[in-house]
Amino acid sequence: MTHLFINIKELIQVRDASVKKISGKEMNILPSIKNAFLLVKDGLIYDYGKMSDLHGSSFDKKTDCTDKMILPTWCDSHTHIVYAGNREQEFVDRINGLSYEEIANNGGGILNSAKKLQATTEDDLYNQSAKRLEEVIALGTGAIEIKSGYGLTVSSELKMLRVIKKLKENYDLPIKATFLGAHAIPKEFKNNKDGYLNLIIDEMLPQITKENLADFIDIFCEVGYFSVDDTDRILSAGKKYGLIPKTHVNQFNSIGGIEISTKHNALSVDHLEVLSENDLEVLKNSETMPVALPSCSYFLSIPYTPARKIIDNDLALALATDYNPGSTPSGNMNFVVATACIKMKMTPNEAINAATINGAYAMNLIEKVGSITKGKLANFFITKEIPSYNVIPYSFGNNQIESVYLKGKKVSN
Ligand code: NIG
Ligand code: FE
């Protein structure tokens, strides 16, 4: 099956297959072809170029994109979309003056979500999560990472990861699964953190890897959650089972989480709302992708990740949603890109690079998604009629996407 898209006002993020991630000044360059065609064959990007170079190509279907642009779908490298119920009462409590930390200390937060998830059947959890996945696909997401971490018992962590596996089987976008057993210390282990770490290492990890349920291992390295030593232990254990580290670090405090993550060659370090000079130096000597989650900062009113400092130090940066019931109940990558421009002073070019190709790197999916490249999946979206792609972040909160394609198939409009 071949599908030809013609008269594309601008085909954006056109890259050679050799490009793996974009850093520093290069992030402000977004390669594109004006007045372009795109040819899709059997779910893959087969060819593209200027309309003037299109000569007698054969095709089964043709779509005219006059005045519209095409971008590769967003790569959301950090989400927790498998969860049960919501925490809107905590949202109201925060408006009334309680902090995120105080709510967590009162038994709310992650433990509140864990209680709800433990009481939810696998089928119900799947249905709730599939609905969220469909919503974010319609908003232009075409590759996604999903974490466990609201189970916090052997059976409930397995339940979450089996739901992710089912989503992988039933949807046409690449999905990566992350085991985040070390997301919070369950109530039963309140005074026995090591007991919980042992449970993760001795019971959860072997079962999860036996069923092949995870690609990555994650931990929330933060004051009141897990220490740098705990992080070292969990990442070492995960690696023994073939899982690649990705971590939650520096959300509220810089305690050495970045250093230990890079020592373990983490694929990404995520959050980074608080970043020391030493953290920056450590990142410069690594291949680890820093990931910013601006809609988390927006929702919790905490500092934004210092994107300018990161990029101006010649580092790469990816953007993701962190979609979860507590700190970011939104999976809209368009809003993430807009917020990165408005609040973190990233240019639209930088933000689009961060939300596509660098997001793909942060999921080990660079061979498949993140750019318009021959041989990659035909995962892209067609915009409405817009004068320039800068309108995507400029018109924050509005949707400039007309239709979304996954593996060359139209899945939403
Ligand atoms: O990435 N920071 C840790 N975990 C999530 C929030 C979890 C929650 O509040 O439910 C995050 O922001
Ligand atoms: Fe998170």
Side-chain angles (χ1 to χ4, degrees), residues 64-305:
D64 186 2
C65 299
T66 298
D67 290 330
K68 299 167 188 171
M69 308 202 172
I70 290 186
L71 282 86
T73 43
W74 306 124
C75 294
D76 191 352
S77 65
H78 182 139
T79 84
H80 310 246
I81 65 164
V82 172
Y83 61 83
N86 282 306
R87 306 217 304 262
E88 71 277 12
Q89 187 52 47
E90 293 180 10
F91 169 62
V92 178
D93 292 344
R94 277 197 300 108
I95 294 168
N96 287 325
L98 283 182
S99 70
Y100 182 72
E101 204 182 356
E102 283 164 338
I103 290 167
N105 291 341
N106 294 342
I110 296 167
L111 296 187
N112 184 0
S113 284
K115 204 160 129 194
K116 290 185 206 288
L117 189 137
Q118 286 161 10
T120 302
T121 65
E122 193 171 313
D123 283 349
D124 188 4
L125 187 62
Y126 175 83
N127 291 334
Q128 292 187 41
S129 309
K131 200 165 153 230
R132 289 181 201 113
L133 184 60
E134 286 175 21
E135 276 167 9
V136 301
I137 290 170
L139 290 165
T141 295
I144 195 165
E145 179 261 15
I146 309 172
K147 299 174 197 297
S148 72
Y150 289 121
L152 308 183
T153 63
V154 178
S155 63
S156 291
E157 283 296 305
L158 284 167
K159 177 163 66 182
M160 288 188 81
L161 289 162
R162 287 185 188 128
V163 165
I164 301 173
K165 189 176 183 188
K166 224 184 274 176
L167 293 170
K168 281 190 192 193
E169 287 160 5
N170 294 347
Y171 286 87
D172 248 345
L173 76 171
I175 297 178
K176 291 283 188 168
T178 300
F179 172 47
L180 176 59
H183 195 193
I185 301 152
K187 239 201 266 141
E188 313 77 74
F189 289 92
K190 199 171 174 228
N191 299 311
N192 179 18
K193 188 176 65 177
D194 281 339
Y196 184 56
L197 291 172
N198 292 340
L199 185 76
I200 291 175
I201 294 166
D202 299 334
E203 294 193 40
M204 294 185 188
L205 265 173
Q207 288 207 49
I208 286 163
T209 45
K210 195 167 134 216
E211 288 186 44
N212 203 7
L213 292 174
D215 305 289
F216 306 130
I217 178 93
D218 197 345
I219 181 165
F220 187 17
C221 178
E222 183 57 65
V223 175
Y225 293 83
F226 296 95
S227 68
V228 171
D229 284 347
D230 300 337
T231 304
D232 194 16
R233 243 190 108 190
I234 290 290
L235 299 188
S236 302
K239 278 162 69 182
K240 268 191 206 133
Y241 285 96
L243 305 184
I244 298 167
K246 275 169 79 70
T247 54
H248 283 73
V249 288
N250 291 47
Q251 183 175 5
F252 302 106
N253 300 282
S254 173
I255 57 171
I258 295 182
E259 196 156 2
I260 194 67
S261 302
T262 55
K263 265 193 194 136
H264 283 284
N265 289 321
L267 185 58
S268 73
V269 282
D270 304 25
H271 274 289
L272 319 181
E273 288 88 341
V274 179
L275 198 64
S276 71
E277 290 302 320
N278 183 54
D279 291 329
L280 266 177
E281 285 310 308
V282 168
L283 283 170
K284 279 190 207 168
N285 294 311
S286 79
E287 288 301 309
T288 299
M289 177 65 71
V291 179
L293 311 164
S295 41
C296 174
S297 299
Y298 176 86
F299 189 71
L300 292 184
S301 300
I302 60 173
Y304 287 87
T305 303

